[in-house]
Amino acid sequence: VLQIYNLHSTDFEVHRNWLAITHSLPVSRWYHENTSEWTLDYPPLFAWFEFGLSHVAQHFDRNMLQVENLNYASPSTVLFQRLSVIFTDVVFIYAAKECCRCVQEQKGSRDVLNRPSFVLAVLLLWNFGLLIVDHIHFQYNGFLFGVLLLSVAKHLQSQHLQGALLFAILLNLKHIYLYVAPAYGIYLLRSYCFTQDNKDGSIRWMSFSPLRLLALGSIVVSVCALSFGPFIAMGQLPQVLSRLFPFKRGLCHAYWAPNIWALYNVLDKGLAVLGVRLKLLEEAELPRASMTGGLVQEFQHSVLLSVSPSATLVCTLLSILPAVASIWLRPCGARGFLRCLLLCALGSFMFGWHVHEKAVLIAILPLSILAVESREDARIFLVLTTTGHYSLFPLLFTPTERPVKVSLMLMFTIFSFTALRKLHRFRLTVVFPLSPWQQRLPFLPLLATSVYCSVGVCYSFLRLYVRLLQRDDKPKQL
């Protein structure tokens, strides 16, 4: 609430423009309108979400709903957009409550820090990354993550059709959640459509239920038809898809997400500098260093092979293949699914095309559930949250925001380390301290932050895979 009138990001204008488009223009023009550079590029259900918000927004300031009013940010507009995020966080709060119901409590303890449900509630509701991304930087991730966590909770509660419905809705709200779609698809096919296993845990093919598959298929088709149906009827599906998947934006976002491509870019740059110094390369013949210019654009690597969208897709699929194969070959119930979901999220984050740094939250938030149940998962969580959250620091770059982001992250990090250490009674062995990067060069601090945080994210990804492959859980029936 204290940040309502604080400085805000370009996402304020993005969503103001979407409010104007959906309110002022007919549906047939929503995905063609390009007066602003911030064109509508979310799936249709989110467009209808904006349409609904616009009818409330008109009571605050009608001028914000005019498409031509670019960069319009009256106090009433800012107030409405801030309040809309706060109001829709109700979905996230309810989802956190449902997730807390899914963890086992320690009996006989009066200390709240020994209660996994309390620790989980704080880790979710007070998550530093979500707090700054939504309530300072400005987006609607709390609402979207609420749908994701509620879907996960429904699977943990064995309410699988509800979980599938919620995920289908989520995909039609924001397509970035395709990252974890393989985990959902394989888990539901293997552990819901096949109703029984053999004694050794292998699949019993005769237990396949066509009715269950039909139920799942009906849910997915119905939601997609509701979302995309009007645009298919107008012959606009190719136009909508071109907005959803703009592959010409380049391998990396303006500020590199801390993933494998950040390390790849730095290695390429290092080899280029070394090649010039050793007179093995001609500096004039090298591509300009646009990849360190902080712009959203395509660029060519200087020494290493340039990476195409298809190459990132292959790398992503290979990175998640062992995880999805594991829940097919030896399913371990809903928590096995949750572990696969985390690896799909991190695998897509590590190897995906034009990944945004905020996408690390897709892994951090669900991992909170496992962190309060397992000592080893808690250690992985601490590394991933420290590096993943620190990688979000460049989103808030003004001097007035610096003390806010530092104090908020310190409070969250101190609580996470203290509560999880007390809950699991372990000593801390790995700590990634914050590093003070100075703004001496335009993009150097961002580059250093990406590379630094990439190490922690890579470490967490590998440790989660070790946990998946080494666990001794017996196969569980639904």
Side-chain angles (χ1 to χ4, degrees):
V1 176
L2 295 177
Q3 297 294 324
I4 282 181
Y5 290 108
N6 198 0
L7 298 175
H8 46 266
S9 70
T10 54
D11 283 307
F12 256 94
E13 172 58 16
V14 171
H15 289 281
R16 184 217 60 80
N17 184 51
W18 294 0
L19 288 171
I21 289 173
T22 56
H23 186 86
S24 304
L25 301 178
V27 177
S28 60
R29 291 183 56 193
W30 284 4
Y31 286 93
H32 286 276
E33 166 59 38
N34 60 1
T35 300
S36 168
E37 62 179 310
W38 311 116
T39 54
L40 181 58
D41 59 4
Y42 275 24
L45 278 191
F46 197 90
W48 287 111
F49 169 73
E50 295 276 8
F51 176 77
L53 289 179
S54 72
H55 283 76
V56 181
Q58 65 182 343
H59 298 293
F60 283 76
D61 187 345
R62 287 183 175 274
N63 290 327
M64 79 170 83
L65 301 177
Q66 297 179 20
V67 176
E68 62 273 12
N69 277 357
L70 301 183
N71 299 309
Y72 185 80
S74 68
S76 296
T77 300
V78 174
L79 176 63
F80 166 74
Q81 292 192 258
R82 291 290 195 197
L83 290 179
S84 67
V85 170
I86 294 172
F87 176 77
T88 54
D89 272 351
V90 171
V91 177
F92 186 80
I93 294 170
Y94 176 68
K97 175 179 177 293
E98 289 299 301
C99 288
C100 291
R101 290 179 52 201
C102 300
V103 298
Q104 296 181 352
E105 295 288 359
Q106 296 181 5
K107 297 181 179 180
S109 176
R110 296 183 178 180
D111 189 341
V112 292
L113 292 184
N114 282 329
R115 294 171 53 191
S117 61
F118 172 80
V119 175
L120 177 59
V122 177
L123 292 180
L124 291 176
L125 298 176
W126 193 21
N127 180 272
F128 163 78
L130 189 57
L131 195 63
I132 68 167
V133 165
D134 272 11
H135 294 279
I136 302 178
H137 183 75
F138 186 80
Q139 280 187 348
Y140 292 96
N141 291 291
F143 163 62
L144 297 168
F145 278 121
V147 180
L148 174 64
L149 291 178
L150 191 56
S151 173
V152 169
K154 292 303 179 183
H155 286 302
L156 292 174
Q157 297 166 6
S158 297
Q159 299 177 25
H160 301 293
L161 289 180
Q162 292 184 37
L165 173 62
L166 287 165
F167 185 67
I169 292 172
L170 180 63
L171 276 183
N172 284 274
L173 286 169
K174 191 171 183 178
H175 53 303
I176 194 175
Y177 294 97
L178 281 170
Y179 284 2
V180 298
Y184 273 88
I186 298 300
Y187 169 66
L188 288 171
L189 179 62
R190 174 64 176 85
S191 297
Y192 181 73
C193 293
F194 288 92
T195 59
Q196 294 180 350
D197 291 338
N198 295 316
K199 291 182 179 181
D200 61 357
S202 62
I203 191 170
R204 181 174 293 181
W205 294 98
M206 296 300 295
S207 69
F208 176 73
S209 171
L211 290 179
R212 290 193 172 192
L213 180 62
L214 180 62
L216 289 174
S218 298
I219 288 173
V220 174
V221 171
S222 298
V223 174
C224 291
L226 181 65
S227 177
F228 286 91
F231 300 94
I232 294 175
M234 292 183 290
Q236 293 188 8
L237 183 60
Q239 174 64 20
V240 175
L241 294 179
S242 70
R243 288 284 184 88
L244 299 185
F245 302 100
F247 289 112
K248 292 185 178 181
R249 288 186 177 180
L251 174 64
C252 296
H253 191 47
Y255 160 49
W256 303 344
N259 60 13
I260 200 70
W261 305 125
L263 301 178
Y264 188 85
N265 290 345
V266 169
L267 176 60
D268 178 75
K269 186 63 177 176
L271 291 175
V273 172
L274 182 62
V276 170
R277 290 190 176 182
L278 295 178
K279 298 183 178 181
L280 298 175
L281 299 172
E282 292 292 336
E283 185 172 7
E285 298 179 359
L286 296 177
R288 295 192 64 185
S290 58
M291 69 177 181
T292 56
L295 301 174
V296 177
Q297 59 184 330
E298 295 182 278
F299 57 80
Q300 298 293 317
H301 290 87
S302 300
V303 179
L304 301 177
L305 292 175
S306 292
V307 182
S308 65
S310 58
T312 63
L313 176 61
V314 171
C315 291
T316 300
L317 293 177
L318 289 176
S319 73
I320 68 175
L321 182 60
V324 295
S326 176
I327 63 170
W328 176 268
L329 296 175
R330 47 174 193 151
C332 292
R335 278 169 175 74
F337 152 72
L338 178 55
R339 201 172 292 281
C340 180
L341 181 149
L342 293 170
L343 287 166
C344 286
L346 275 182
S348 299
F349 181 83
M350 292 291 297
F351 298 99
W353 177 266
H354 198 76
V355 174
H356 287 236
E357 66 287 336
K358 298 180 284 286
V360 73
L361 295 175
I362 301 178
I364 289 177
L365 288 167
L367 181 55
S368 305
I369 301 172
L370 295 179
V372 301
E373 295 184 333
S374 163
R375 177 182 302 180
E376 182 60 28
D377 289 323
R379 288 194 171 102
I380 299 171
F381 174 82
L382 293 174
V383 174
L384 184 61
T385 53
T386 305
T387 52
H389 283 163
Y390 180 55
S391 73
L392 301 176
F393 264 39
L395 293 178
L396 308 179
F397 51 84
T398 65
T400 57
E401 292 171 323
R402 188 171 297 122
V404 175
K405 67 182 181 183
V406 171
S407 59
L408 286 175
M409 181 168 175
L410 281 177
M411 287 189 292
F412 179 81
T413 303
I414 290 170
F415 173 83
S416 300
F417 275 79
T418 302
L420 291 175
R421 184 184 63 176
K422 185 175 181 63
L423 187 64
H424 297 298
R425 297 178 176 84
F426 64 80
R427 294 182 179 181
L428 306 179
T429 56
V430 180
V431 177
F432 284 79
L434 302 185
S435 301
W437 302 104
Q438 301 299 320
Q439 301 288 334
R440 296 178 179 175
L441 295 175
F443 197 66
L444 181 60
L446 299 180
L447 184 152
T449 301
S450 297
V451 173
Y452 167 75
C453 296
S454 296
V455 177
V457 175
C458 290
Y459 169 83
S460 302
F461 179 65
L462 294 175
R463 287 295 296 270
L464 279 170
Y465 249 122
V466 171
R467 289 281 293 152
L468 177 76
L469 299 176
Q470 289 186 344
R471 71 182 191 273
D472 298 322
D473 304 3
K474 295 181 179 180
K476 301 176 182 178
Q477 298 295 330
L478 292 174

